[in-house]
Amino acid sequence: MASSAMAQGVGGITALMPSFSSSNRLQLGFSKHLPEWKRSSIAIRLDASFSQSSNSRKRASKLVTSAVVVKDETATSPATSKTGHELLLFEALREGLDEEMERDPRVCVVGEDVGHYGGSYKVTKGMAEKYGDLRVLDTPIAENSFTGMGVGAAMTGLRPVIEGMNMGFLLLAFNQISNNCGMLHYTSGGQFTIPVVIRGPGGVGRQLGAEHSQRLESYFQSVPGLQMVACSTPYNAKGLMKAAIRSENPVILFEHVLLYNLKEKIPDEEYVCCLEEAEMVRPGADVTILTYSRMRYHVMQAAKTLVNKGYDPEIIDIRSLKPFDLHTIGNSIKKTHRVLIVEECMRTGGIGASLRAAIIENFWDYLDAPIMCLSSQDVPTPYAGTLEDWTVVQPPQIVSAVEQICQ
Amino acid sequence: MTTMSTARIPPASSPCIARKPKASSNTGKLPRVYVKPGWLRKDLMGSNLRFSEFRSAKLPCSPLTVSAIASASELVKERIETKSELLVTREEGLELYEDMILGRSFEDMCAQMYYRGKMFGFVHLYNGQEAVSTGFIKMLKAHDSVCSTYRDHVHALSKGVPARAVMSELFGKTTGCCRGQGGSMHMFSKEHGVLGGFAFIGEGIPVALGAAFSSKYKQEVLKDEKANAVTVAFFGDGTCNNGQFFESLNMAALWKLPIIFVVENNLWAIGMSHIRATSVPDIWEKGPAFGMPGVHVDGMDVLKVREVAKEAVARARRGDGPTLVECETYRFRGHSLADPDELRNPAEKAHYAARDPIVSLKKYLIENNLANESDLKSIEKKIDEIIEEAVEFADASPLPQRGQLLENVFADPKGFGIGPDGRYRCEDPGFTAGTAQV
């Protein structure tokens, strides 16, 4: 059966579909129910092996055109692990959260349906049974107030992890996130720290409608005093979750609704990712492609086509949306002299817009071509599947953008 | 001076708080501020039957009944007539007096300094409302927390923040309690448990809720029995129409958090009268709707406020949950120093000026032989000296230097990120000079 074959690919990233009941990992039969054009795109993604397990690396070395090369030299690379365990992204988040809650009894989770329900995307499944109803607190539907409650708890010694059931709901908490999370450390003259983590799924899903498909990273990026990170693989999801909880700063961790079922083998030993660093996904020479979250996978898919056409793109997952890792980005630009930004935010005022400004400010002399930025259309995400696909950036657009930039 | 056709002082029959019902009034219709039997529901109050019993045992008439709305002078008259025990000892009385004088003098000095150009921006003064701050905060312990709004100078002072630190903060100097970075509306003190100082109304209430949650968490999860801190959230009548107020009432009652919601109902939200803004102006009535006791008290009488505070704090510390206390009070000055205060009827202002909490307490202390004129005069002199010293200190303090600009944005300055050279921005020598690019 097609689904089991997909699942058995060692370390292969499984298809992208939100799942509300998580227990069945082989729940890939949905692919049969999708229209032909969507099914084929999923099959392509599955062929690319993104994992850092030894099997896939061997395979990669045999192929002339490999979509992913692992960065071996950094300490945070999962390639150094000989053994590991495979899990899905939401399980990786849970593992990170669980480890931190065991390590520090002050860490608690606050949000809607995080306790008995296990989280709307099952990130906190089983944790209320383990840690109790006060440590994994089911709140009433009052985002502004329970976010403020998290801030007050953080000021008085706790380390809450506040979950927005969907990132879009945090628009209701904007008062608290902007005024209190962002500014309180400053206006109190440094007396109070706000070590909160605000996390939740955002981004454009599969026909979830306009209000459930928002990208709040562009709204929060101007708030001083906040750090923002976006996870994209099980490895960096767990690492960033742990780093965010350990950080003394308020951190917003952006997850993506469609990435929760990605499967990857991650190290058994404990590791933490750096909040401020970007991740080199594929070293290259012709063009720097900067991306994050779900668009990483569209870029990877486009990369296969580009490599076949003879291009050598360097792909960086920026991971840290605020602040930008200008070192990794800068080194790449100094090498390739061409930049393409691929993001899911709106064209106006998105992360890409800020990144473009930062690159122009810092690396203008190294650019041989204008920076191209592919973003979502400035429209409310439509419900219809065809329209929705046209609002976000698709791999063919990325391919033609690279061709244009590199001429 | 504009006058409007509707009466400023609500008539006795209005749904709003009845002001001074005459003892002999026989309208046959009780003003709505008496405590309805409903709120003493035992299932809500738990062991708080003691609340009502305590009242009737200690006081000839519960402050929560009609006569509680009487002014302090009437209460004093009843005291002497019934020869019941006094509400405070001499030490307590003098402490209360000193705190209220400190608050009043400080705010008066603020006004002077503002008009002399020593402080700028929005400054909201607390004159007239001292009884609420003193009454509640003097019942708290050092490890308890207080959360306020932009009218926060006196809350900070009552909680123990030195006057010189508050004055420096207002002058924008580095020696201020928030290093000059907060200002009038953002008074914080970790040492004294002052959680702010918030410019937007309502945004401080969830923060207070969080502090109360912390207290409960430390007791139940971290098993720290000494963590019985109580949090008091102060806010005004305008805030009581805001969503965060209701959301916080719900969660506080749901989880029985050790918090007291104190409404300083001074009838005016800048120029918006409480009666024009609120469908049901009795704010205390909203407490039982969320499952907590709602209490109304005369906020111009520090002794009455103190009695209510005593019980509410004890209730919270016992673990019985939150209380909503509505204090009927009044601000003698405008909303802020920029407010011309033209809308309020002079008769209303005069009415409340006659109920000045400091004057009332002074009268009480003297008439009950707890203190004499010279005691009180020496307190006033002491406070004057403190305030003078605070101003001198603030004047002499340095202004913040450029290097302070980037500090405190992040608790961990690595949050400014990695620069093009591979080093963290905060390692840039320009960072401490405030000139680094971030």
Side-chain angles (χ1 to χ4, degrees), chain B residues 390-407:
Chain B
V391 174
E392 278 163 19
F393 175 79
D395 261 336
S397 295
L399 285 165
Q401 293 307 302
R402 179 103 197 227
Q404 198 181 311
L405 182 66
L406 300 173
E407 295 171 10

Side-chain angles (χ1 to χ4, degrees), chain A residues 7-135:
Chain A
Q8 279 159 21
V10 174
I13 303 291
T14 56
L16 315 176
M17 177 87 165
S19 164
F20 286 80
S21 64
S22 60
S23 46
N24 183 9
R25 281 187 197 183
L26 298 176
Q27 197 192 350
L28 302 166
F30 67 85
S31 65
K32 298 200 284 265
H33 307 294
L34 288 174
E36 175 65 57
W37 60 272
K38 272 193 180 171
R39 220 184 303 155
S40 60
S41 64
I42 290 169
I44 290 171
R45 259 180 241 128
L46 287 172
D47 284 344
S49 77
F50 300 145
S51 90
Q52 286 79 26
S53 74
S54 50
N55 272 354
S56 63
R57 261 189 295 135
K58 272 193 229 145
R59 253 201 328 229
S61 62
K62 284 188 192 140
L63 289 171
V64 174
T65 58
S66 160
V68 182
V69 170
V70 170
K71 183 168 71 168
D72 282 350
E73 60 276 7
T74 63
T76 55
S77 167
T80 51
S81 125
K82 295 281 183 297
T83 58
H85 55 287
E86 224 175 37
L87 39 55
L88 304 181
L89 195 144
F90 75 89
E91 292 169 343
L93 288 166
R94 190 196 313 151
E95 211 176 77
L97 186 53
D98 197 6
E99 284 176 18
E100 290 304 303
M101 284 181 81
E102 264 187 32
R103 177 178 175 267
D104 187 345
R106 298 169 302 164
V107 179
C108 55
V109 181
V110 175
E112 295 158 13
D113 275 332
V114 295
H116 295 186
Y117 194 74
S120 59
Y121 290 91
K122 300 304 168 204
V123 172
T124 48
K125 185 164 185 213
M127 298 188 76
E129 288 81 23
K130 182 173 176 187
Y131 293 109
D133 279 348
L134 207 55
R135 275 193 90 180

Side-chain angles (χ1 to χ4, degrees), chain A residues 187-207:
Chain A
T187 53
S188 67
Q191 291 181 83
F192 290 101
T193 55
I194 325 282
V196 297
V197 177
I198 300 175
R199 50 158 292 269
V204 178
R206 292 252 183 271
Q207 299 189 246

